[in-house]
Amino acid sequence: MKIAFFDTKSYWVDGFAPLAEKYGYEITFIKERLTPATAHMAAGHDATCSFVNDELPAEVVKELKNLGIKVILLRCAGFDSVDLEAAKEAGIPVLRVPAYSPESVAEQGAALLMAVNRMSHHSYARTTKFNFDIAGLTGIALVGKTAGIIGTGKIGQCMINILKGFGMNIIAYDAFPNPNLGLEYVTLDELYARADVISIHCPLMPATRHMINAEAISKMKDGVIFINVARGALVDSEALADALDAGKFRGVGADVCEKEHEYFFENCENAEKDPTLARLLANPRFLLSGHQAFLTVDALNAIATVTLDNAKAFLAGAELVNEVK
Ligand code: NAD
């Protein structure tokens, strides 16, 4: 199988190249994102492999069909980048990686929590300049505090396990509570009122878009720490920036942001800056990582294995367990 691999970065080559050799697949690593302008680069291949910022609207899917692409491999869980109707019409199956190391994602949430609480990014900035003043770096002990987890799926559960290790009391909200987890589920309002730390782990859908808005924030405790390693648009960034500037939060740690498609995975130092994001980043209590929660050796290996297993199942005519229907 010949795979046209779009939006290639060094870490993807590290994860996929050794494995592809084992499977006997030939991968062309293409730097460009898959878009209407670059779809022609898939010529001569049997499959495309794309990530969250690649674009597969109907016109791309049709072009891929004309170029002889037989299967679309997504090396991520989300499938909002693909026009599924068009893929169905073209008879091209779309295969994804529904889960890969949820621990890795939760661990990045915990890392952000520790950083914004103990100000380790500011500490680093000072000590590397031989400035050992610790004024302004006071945090809180997490033991005995209450963590409110919104979304108790795979990643939310990993986050709960980590926070239990800190000795935190856990309360949770989920649209579909899981009675097998032995958790204290509460309403969102109660979670906002009681939690010292809030971490959100639910999917982005019309129902959850901007669920963390000005009203929700106003119901949270003053001095709360808020963590988002799920999706940027779960949060109304303007409302978040207003509340941060008003001193509402002890800290906000995020791995995602609303307009990340315009910036993430590239060095955009010289690009025009989104004013709301620039405002958030200027606040010393806000810390953003660039959608890297998935970026561990373990997750990359899992993503590569499942993606190439998906290709193998397709070639073998086996059941496509990870097909997006
Ligand atoms: P999951 O499907 O296992 O869990 C999601 C949970 O959210 C479920 O328990 C579901 O019932 C709950 N939920 C659904 N609607 C809700 C609502 N309206 N309010 C509250 N809860 C609701 O998913 P997961 O694997 O735990 O992933 C969670 C999210 O993390 C993903 O949707 C994705 O956006 C994000 N993610 C981020 C990264 C990253 O690198 N930053 C990597 C993987 C996933």
Side-chain angles (χ1 to χ4, degrees):
M1 174 174 272
K2 286 187 174 178
I3 302 172
F5 194 103
F6 285 88
D7 202 7
T8 300
K9 300 280 186 275
S10 58
Y11 44 86
W12 287 122
V13 179
D14 293 345
F16 274 79
L19 212 60
E21 217 172 282
K22 260 198 227 161
Y23 281 71
Y25 299 158
E26 201 181 299
I27 300 187
T28 309
F29 289 106
I30 299 167
K31 194 172 166 288
E32 283 77 8
R33 286 184 186 173
L34 177 52
T35 66
T38 62
H40 65 91
M41 297 171 102
H45 297 85
D46 307 298
T48 57
C49 182
S50 56
F51 196 47
V52 291
N53 286 331
D54 291 296
E55 299 163 29
L56 293 92
E59 60 174 308
V60 168
V61 173
K62 275 183 204 152
E63 184 165 357
L64 295 181
K65 171 80 179 168
N66 292 337
L67 292 172
I69 293 296
K70 297 174 195 72
V71 59
I72 290 172
L73 303 171
L74 303 178
R75 54 181 190 276
C76 54
F79 44 82
D80 45 292
S81 58
V82 188
D83 187 321
L84 292 174
E85 268 308 311
K88 195 173 158 191
E89 238 170 68
I92 305 179
V94 177
L95 310 181
R96 69 176 182 131
V97 184
Y100 50 86
S101 188
E103 296 84 0
S104 295
V105 182
E107 285 169 17
Q108 177 68 4
L112 287 165
L113 164 60
M114 297 308 275
V116 296
N117 178 32
R118 306 304 293 269
M119 303 276 203
S120 34
H121 48 311
H122 294 298
S123 174
Y124 175 78
R126 289 186 195 181
T127 57
T128 49
K129 285 192 221 135
F130 247 69
N131 174 357
F132 304 107
D133 177 7
I134 57 171
L137 304 182
T138 311
I140 55 167
L142 294 176
V143 64
K145 302 291 191 309
T146 298
I149 305 298
I150 303 175
T152 56
K154 293 179 284 299
I155 297 169
Q157 287 172 45
C158 293
M159 188 68 170
I160 288 169
N161 287 337
I162 294 170
L163 299 183
K164 278 184 179 169
F166 288 141
M168 297 194 79
N169 304 313
I170 309 293
I171 55 176
Y173 170 80
D174 194 300
F176 306 94
N178 182 344
N180 301 321
L181 298 178
L183 288 170
E184 181 187 354
Y185 281 103
V186 295
T187 61
L188 264 182
D189 279 1
E190 188 175 343
L191 185 146
Y192 294 147
R194 285 176 55 194
D196 304 295
V197 170
I198 296 175
S199 192
I200 190 162
H201 300 281
C202 56
L204 176 63
M205 309 175 292
T208 57
R209 181 170 219 94
H210 284 192
M211 69 184 281
I212 305 299
N213 53 22
E215 191 190 345
I217 293 170
S218 72
K219 293 175 181 169
M220 295 177 189
K221 281 187 182 178
D222 289 341
V224 64
I225 295 175
F226 177 67
I227 304 298
N228 180 12
V229 292
R231 283 291 179 266
L234 292 168
V235 180
D236 178 342
S237 314
E238 278 288 336
L240 185 71
D242 288 344
L244 262 164
D245 288 349
K248 174 79 184 180
F249 296 97
R250 172 171 288 282
V252 173
D255 187 51
V256 286
C257 67
E258 257 194 303
K259 294 195 176 162
E260 66 174 67
H261 279 68
E262 294 175 23
Y263 304 103
F264 276 17
F265 309 130
E266 305 298 335
N267 182 345
C268 296
E269 273 174 275
N270 300 320
E272 198 178 317
K273 314 278 191 301
D274 170 64
T276 308
L277 181 55
R279 196 172 146 217
L280 284 167
L281 290 168
N283 191 300
R285 296 204 169 268
F286 180 76
L287 178 61
L288 179 68
S289 54
H291 207 137
Q292 65 171 76
F294 75 97
L295 193 60
T296 63
V297 171
D298 312 79
L300 288 172
N301 287 342
I303 290 171
T305 303
V306 176
T307 304
L308 298 185
D309 276 348
N310 284 343
K312 192 172 164 189
F314 173 77
L315 280 180
E319 189 193 353
L320 300 176
V321 286
N322 293 326
E323 181 171 11
V324 187
K325 295 252 170 76

